[in-house]
Amino acid sequence: MTKMSACRAMLVILLGLPLLGVWDVSAQSLEDRFASAKSLTCAFTAMATGNWTGSESSAKARPATLKMAFDQIRLDDGTARLVGAFGDFDIIVRLSSGNLHLVQSFKDGPLYVTTLFPRESRPGKVQAVHTRHEYTLISMPGYTSRPEQYYGECALPE
């Protein structure tokens, strides 16, 4: 490798690292905020619902108005609480590679996962996704009966 091509390779690496988040200072401070958060609120404004017709899978996107709140977040023992319209539920929480995961595993089968990414969507809010792994033979309006994925943001307390 010539000295010139080695310099070009180093320049590409140095310019590309910030894009990969390796030197993202704001991500580190957000990870620190995730680690110290005791509660948070989330709002999801878009969603996709999956389905199968025979052997063909499909997804349909549409607007959403899902709001969620979490409290009693304790990373040291991996627990938190989902505060909802249908009651409060003890859930699992994990901080992994900068992402904060909140997991609700129901005794009757469904699995819900909310993930906060260390990327600000706007000041004080971070990008988030909420996924519902659920399937029932009968579909009822207003209830989850197919896999769903919601997209939005969560606010972190100062």
Side-chain angles (χ1 to χ4, degrees), residues 15-79:
L15 291 175
L17 286 176
L19 296 175
L20 296 173
V22 173
W23 288 338
D24 190 344
V25 176
S26 65
Q28 183 58 43
S29 63
L30 286 172
E31 186 174 343
D32 291 343
R33 288 182 65 194
F34 287 173
S36 64
K38 301 300 178 212
S39 65
L40 54 97
T41 58
C42 303
F44 299 94
T45 56
M47 71 174 293
T49 303
N51 201 6
W52 293 265
T53 304
S55 63
E56 295 298 316
S57 57
S58 63
K60 180 180 178 185
R62 63 181 191 266
T65 56
L66 178 66
K67 295 188 183 302
M68 303 177 76
F70 301 92
D71 68 6
Q72 298 181 16
I73 299 171
R74 295 191 313 246
L75 284 173
D76 57 334
D77 65 2
T79 62

Side-chain angles (χ1 to χ4, degrees), residues 105-110:
S105 181
F106 294 83
K107 292 179 181 173
D108 57 351

Side-chain angles (χ1 to χ4, degrees), residues 4 7 12 15 17 26 31-32 59 63 67 75 77 93-94 96 99 120 129 131 135 149-151:
M4 183 57 117
C7 287
V12 167
L15 291 175
L17 286 176
S26 65
E31 186 174 343
D32 291 343
K67 295 188 183 302
L75 284 173
D77 65 2
V93 63
R94 295 282 186 271
S96 176
N99 299 305
E120 278 195 323
V129 64
T131 305
Y135 185 89
Q149 189 164 57
Y150 294 81
Y151 310 93

Side-chain angles (χ1 to χ4, degrees), residues 30 33 43 45 119-127 152-155:
L30 286 172
R33 288 182 65 194
T45 56
R119 300 276 183 247
E120 278 195 323
S121 52
R122 53 188 152 155
K125 298 188 181 208
V126 295
Q127 297 171 347
E153 61 189 9
C154 295

